[in-house]
């Protein structure tokens, strides 16, 4: 098995979030790194909507289609 496929098998989705804080510079770094993610046909049709609130607002939940990940408390 190639290293690429080994890496794919190790991929996980985040289902739990902590309530720890990150600095604004770390947030900018993460958004910049995420903006280099590949997309189909290089459309880059993703968007980033960072939130520093402890609980997501109703608008934030609506924009993310009431994702179960947003509605759960941090673990």
């Amino acid at each position: 098995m190639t290293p690429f496929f080994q890496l794919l098998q190790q991929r996980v989705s985040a289902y739990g979030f902590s309530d720890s804080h990150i600095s604004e510079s770390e947030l900018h770094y993460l958004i910049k790194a995420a903006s280099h993610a590949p997309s189909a046909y290089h459309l880059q049709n993703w968007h980033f909507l960072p939130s520093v609130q402890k609980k997501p607002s109703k608008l934030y939940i609506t924009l993310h289609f009431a994702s179960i990940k947003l509605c759960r408390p941090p673990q």
Side-chain angles (χ1 to χ4, degrees):
M1 186 176 305
T2 67
F4 175 74
F5 286 108
Q6 289 174 338
L7 183 63
L8 283 179
Q9 288 181 329
Q10 295 172 4
R11 183 196 161 283
V12 295
S13 295
Y15 287 98
F17 300 93
S18 75
D19 58 356
S20 62
H21 297 277
I22 63 171
S23 69
E24 191 171 330
S25 63
E26 288 173 310
L27 180 61
H28 285 279
Y29 178 80
L30 291 171
I31 292 173
K32 183 175 182 178
S35 70
H36 292 282
S39 60
Y41 302 104
H42 199 56
L43 294 175
Q44 299 177 334
N45 54 349
W46 26 250
H47 66 278
F48 304 100
L49 186 60
S51 175
V52 294
Q53 300 174 4
K54 288 211 178 251
K55 292 179 79 175
S57 68
K58 289 180 183 178
L59 175 61
Y60 197 81
I61 290 172
T62 301
L63 290 172
H64 287 87
F65 308 106
S67 169
I68 190 68
K69 292 181 183 183
L70 292 174
C71 300
R72 288 184 185 160
Q75 298 177 1

